[in-house]
């Protein structure tokens, strides 16, 4: 089941062809870190939520869900 609307596993079909899934870009990591700060969260807390050791390990297929969740959290803090 998805927690906070973030898919638990999405490898963009990579397992089926035997290669590791693509991870997010440095720019996407930077974007997420900005949102984490805006949401008054700790990076370790977010990594635990999306089940990765570090943001750089987040797969590209899971980026949008994590991004959208963090935007919502940031909006709640700003409200």
């Amino acid at each position: 089941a998805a927690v906070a609307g973030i898919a638990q596993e999405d490898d963009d079909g990579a397992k089926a062809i035997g290669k590791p899934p693509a991870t997010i870009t440095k720019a996407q990591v930077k974007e997420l870190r900005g949102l984490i700060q805006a949401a008054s969260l700790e990076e370790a807390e977010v990594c635990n939520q999306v089940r990765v050791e570090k943001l750089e390990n987040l797969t590209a297929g899971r980026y949008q869900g994590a991004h959208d969740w963090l935007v919502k959290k940031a909006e709640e803090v700003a409200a």
Side-chain angles (χ1 to χ4, degrees), residues 11-72:
D11 71 358
D12 295 327
K15 285 182 185 173
I17 57 173
K19 70 174 189 173
T23 55
I24 62 175
T25 66
K26 289 179 183 181
Q28 289 172 318
V29 170
K30 185 176 180 180
E31 174 74 15
L32 292 180
R33 285 191 173 130
L35 289 169
I36 289 167
Q37 186 175 17
S40 298
L41 297 171
E42 295 293 327
E43 187 169 326
E45 178 183 357
V46 173
C47 288
N48 185 51
Q49 182 73 29
V50 297
R51 300 176 191 243
V52 294
E53 286 186 30
K54 57 185 183 174
L55 288 178
E56 290 85 352
N57 293 348
L58 187 67
T59 60
R62 295 179 58 208
Y63 170 78
Q64 194 62 51
H67 179 274
D68 293 348
W69 178 71
L70 285 167
V71 167
K72 183 177 178 181

